Amino acid sequence: MSHGNENPKESFCELMNDNFFMKCALDLARMTLGQTRPNPSVGCVIVKEGRILGMGSHLKSGEPHAEVLALRQSGSESRGATLYVTLEPCAHFGHTPPCVNAIIAAGISRVVVATTDENPLVSGKGIGRLREAGIKVENGLFENDAKQINESFFFFHKNGRPRITLKAAVSLDGRIATRTGHSRWISSESSRQDSHILRRTVDAILVGSGTVVSDNPTLTARFPDGAPQPLRILIDRRLRSSTEANIFNSDAQTLVFTTEASDPNIIGALRNKGVEVVPLKQDFNVPQVISELALRNVRSLLVEGGATIHGAFLDSGIFDEVIFYIAPKLIGGVDAKFSIGGIGAETMASAYSLDFFSVEKIGEDLKIIARPKQPLPKQLPG
């Protein structure tokens, strides 16, 4: 990012200040991860003569954006100040007026943006409007950090489908349950708590009917802060899940994919409970379900299903990340349940090669995040 300052000493000092204040804005954005859906998490800091005049982070969809909150704090002192923001300010009317209008009206003289917005309603337009108004705009400071905060947001707008994570808790020998089907608990309490943090950051969680029948999960993120719950998605070809299952309670919205051959009485009972039921014309396939979710603006999907569902995603080649919590336990047994089923690879050469993105110890367990080495299909066929 160029500052255009001919004095090297002043340029270095300005850069140091820019780095510091943008890091503050990035920290503000990180603090609201998971609570702004479907909007991205954004932080903003307003500075004049090295003094912070206002700070803000977008708190909830439909409420003022980070820039507006920071401008409210800085008030009339905003004139001639520098505004640091982690995402390009919006230039369109949504639930709230365009942020660029408020920035221009406040008399901000310089704006430092971490990254351009991928949303076509915004991309380049916000920066363009600010420059047209005579405001100096610099873009790209800590761009990678800003994009990582809203990784799924950027992925969705670039690729037209949700970013998909396959997640499982397994024993050291790869089992998710004993030969009798007993699975509580493979992972430690610390890992389960970390899993709830993960749930809090995604738009939707997907499981199959086998998981609902055997475990009866609620599939909510257990946090007291009032953040919106992710959409719960159930794949149930024959609607064999009980209509009284926890996944159908009122704690969060639920979407069920089934087939047209399912009992219409059960479909009616679920719809009476406020559950959205989508009967597919053909049997479950991953691309069709993902296309339906993309139409509903689901930008990030956490797949927590058993071997059948995980196997379907692996066989489809449509996934972007794998998270395994590995417990220091050996279950054994040829009839014990494994984490991934499906058709699988025929040869080692056709197996998916992954890169370890991170490995950390959580409680007694290891949490491993891995991502495909080779690019998988980013856009759905057709």
Side-chain angles (χ1 to χ4, degrees):
M1 184 177 73
S2 173
H3 289 262
N5 194 320
E6 295 181 358
N7 187 318
K9 184 176 180 181
E10 289 183 8
S11 178
F12 176 77
C13 292
E14 183 178 320
L15 177 61
M16 288 299 97
N17 287 336
D18 284 351
N19 289 349
F20 176 80
F21 294 123
M22 183 59 81
K23 285 181 178 179
C24 290
L26 290 166
D27 285 342
L28 288 169
R30 290 187 186 99
M31 290 178 186
T32 63
L33 276 174
Q35 70 182 56
T36 62
R37 294 192 305 267
N39 294 346
S41 294
V42 180
C44 178
V45 177
I46 297 174
V47 179
K48 182 189 285 186
E49 297 176 354
R51 185 167 61 95
I52 293 178
L53 306 177
M55 298 190 298
S57 55
H58 183 44
L59 301 177
K60 184 180 179 181
S61 177
E63 295 187 359
H65 290 184
E67 301 94 316
V68 172
L69 292 173
L71 287 167
R72 287 178 182 175
Q73 288 185 14
S74 57
S76 60
E77 290 189 86
S78 300
R79 189 160 298 279
T82 296
L83 182 147
Y84 298 86
V85 65
T86 59
L87 187 66
E88 178 182 7
C90 63
H92 67 290
F93 281 89
H95 292 297
T96 60
C99 289
V100 292
N101 292 359
I103 294 170
I104 294 169
I108 293 289
S109 62
R110 176 171 173 256
V111 174
V112 181
V113 179
T115 183
T116 306
D117 196 332
E118 290 283 352
N119 186 340
L121 292 173
V122 181
S123 186
K125 298 181 177 67
I127 290 174
R129 284 277 307 280
L130 293 173
R131 285 175 173 158
E132 288 171 4
I135 296 174
K136 182 180 179 182
V137 181
E138 297 167 23
N139 181 30
L141 183 63
F142 296 119
E143 181 177 16
N144 290 337
D145 299 72
K147 286 187 173 180
Q148 187 170 3
I149 290 172
N150 292 298
E151 193 168 13
S152 296
F153 174 83
F154 282 94
F155 184 96
F156 178 85
H157 283 293
K158 184 177 181 180
N159 301 294
R161 69 161 177 85
R163 185 173 178 275
I164 299 166
T165 298
L166 310 183
K167 173 250 175 185
V170 302
S171 63
L172 192 58
D173 54 344
R175 270 73 168 181
I176 59 172
T178 68
R179 59 183 172 80
T180 64
H182 190 259
S183 62
R184 293 193 175 184
W185 294 100
I186 290 178
S187 58
S188 66
E189 174 64 30
S190 297
S191 289
R192 297 197 296 276
Q193 184 64 26
D194 188 77
S195 181
H196 283 292
I197 295 173
L198 178 62
R199 284 181 178 182
R200 187 181 185 273
T201 64
V202 299
D203 290 347
I205 303 171
L206 185 148
V207 297
S209 58
T211 298
V212 172
V213 171
S214 62
D215 297 339
N216 194 23
T218 305
L219 291 188
T220 54
R222 320 286 208 271
F223 279 90
D225 61 0
Q229 289 288 347
L231 173 68
R232 301 176 295 195
I233 301 168
L234 171 62
I235 307 297
D236 194 341
R237 296 175 175 86
R238 302 185 301 277
L239 288 183
R240 64 191 185 104
S241 305
S242 168
T243 56
E244 299 304 315
N246 290 335
I247 196 174
F248 301 130
N249 65 22
S250 59
D251 291 351
Q253 291 182 302
T254 302
L255 169 63
V256 177
F257 288 102
T258 188
T259 61
E260 291 184 338
S262 295
D263 188 336
N265 293 321
I266 299 178
I267 292 177
L270 290 174
R271 286 174 173 167
N272 286 337
K273 293 171 72 74
V275 175
E276 182 182 2
V277 182
V278 179
L280 302 175
K281 291 183 178 180
Q282 51 185 298
D283 201 0
F284 164 70
N285 70 79
V286 171
Q288 186 176 11
V289 167
I290 297 305
S291 293
E292 289 283 345
L293 297 182
L295 292 173
R296 291 165 171 77
N297 287 319
V298 172
R299 295 167 180 168
S300 54
L301 176 66
L302 182 64
V303 180
E304 292 195 11
T308 300
I309 293 296
H310 279 140
F313 275 86
L314 188 71
D315 290 340
S316 75
I318 305 175
F319 68 96
D320 307 289
E321 185 175 71
V322 177
I323 298 180
F324 271 31
Y325 296 90
I326 303 178
K329 299 175 182 177
L330 295 173
I331 294 175
V334 294
D335 295 324
K337 296 183 179 180
F338 286 88
S339 58
I340 299 179
I343 298 171
E346 290 186 3
T347 66
M348 289 306 299
S350 62
Y352 287 108
S353 294
L354 308 176
D355 277 322
F356 288 129
F357 181 76
S358 67
V359 179
E360 63 178 309
K361 197 166 187 289
I362 297 183
E364 299 175 349
D365 308 330
L366 286 180
K367 177 185 179 183
I368 296 179
I369 301 179
R371 296 176 176 178
K373 278 187 177 181
Q374 301 299 323
L376 299 179
K378 297 300 181 185
Q379 295 181 320
L380 299 175

